[in-house]
Amino acid sequence: EKPAVEKQAKAPKPGDLILWEPLPGKEHGHVGIVLDPDEKTFIGSQSSTGVAEASYDENKNWGKRPFVFLHYEKTSLPN
């Protein structure tokens, strides 16, 4: 089976990961899974809501924090 390779994505697809940097003074950031790139929604587990759908663009908390999208693809590694 081919291994998965991580690539930063400029245009997210459903199933891509979205990663936020940690807040100042915090050790860990946050991760979610992109649901609908057109609607800019993701699913994540937030301490305030538990597992829930949220927006990574307009939400007062998530939209203001730096984030990146990661896409994983199966690919061949050089021999």
Side-chain angles (χ1 to χ4, degrees):
E1 185 171 314
K2 295 179 180 180
V5 175
E6 167 191 320
K7 295 192 311 186
Q8 189 167 339
K10 294 196 185 285
K13 298 177 185 175
D16 284 353
L17 298 180
I18 181 169
L19 300 161
W20 284 268
E21 294 181 2
L23 291 170
K26 299 288 184 178
E27 185 176 345
H28 303 287
H30 189 76
V31 63
I33 301 169
V34 175
L35 292 175
D36 185 336
D38 295 330
E39 297 291 325
K40 298 182 178 166
T41 57
F42 75 98
I43 190 162
S45 180
Q46 292 71 243
S47 58
S48 60
T49 62
V51 176
E53 185 176 320
S55 171
Y56 56 80
D57 187 45
E58 298 171 5
N59 183 288
K60 64 181 178 181
N61 295 320
W62 302 115
K64 295 179 182 178
R65 292 174 58 187
F67 60 85
V68 296
F69 298 107
L70 295 180
H71 180 74
Y72 288 83
E73 294 179 351
K74 287 189 176 184
T75 186
S76 297
L77 294 177
N79 293 331

